[in-house]
Amino acid sequence: MTNRLIRLLEYIPVFGAFLRSARLGGYAERLAFVLNILALWLLAVIWIGYPLLIVTMLSMTGLYLFGLVYLTSEGIRSRWRSRGGA
């Protein structure tokens, strides 16, 4: 599924070229990809302003909470597997 999503994102005109270079290239290309995404985000914050910053931080809060739940639920998932569940 992830491979399909990445392949689909590669069809976006400018972003796809960055992503393809990062996926197929070496360390320098991956670093350049991260710096380009960061620069694009900073330019968007400068252009759109404070609301974009707030929306980004709220999204990151949700992702952080999801990560915490995922990391702490390993015990529940292992018990479920040992009983013969999914």
Side-chain angles (χ1 to χ4, degrees):
M1 180 66 187
T2 305
N3 194 20
R4 265 190 196 162
L5 179 64
I6 291 173
R7 299 284 303 224
L8 186 65
L9 288 174
E10 286 181 353
Y11 286 106
I12 298 173
V14 175
F15 182 73
F18 289 155
L19 186 62
R20 192 175 308 109
S21 175
R23 189 172 60 91
L24 299 176
Y27 177 76
E29 284 84 4
R30 290 184 179 135
L31 183 63
F33 175 74
V34 170
L35 292 177
N36 281 328
I37 295 301
L38 183 64
L40 287 173
W41 179 75
L42 286 172
L43 284 173
V45 167
I46 290 170
W47 187 42
I48 295 173
Y50 195 65
L52 181 67
L53 187 65
I54 294 297
V55 168
T56 303
M57 294 305 140
L58 287 173
S59 301
M60 295 304 289
T61 303
L63 286 172
Y64 182 74
L65 182 61
F66 174 76
L68 281 176
V69 170
Y70 181 77
L71 287 174
T72 58
S73 66
E74 180 60 35
I76 296 171
R77 286 182 283 159
S78 65
R79 277 185 278 169
W80 179 261
R81 278 180 267 177
S82 66
R83 281 192 281 166

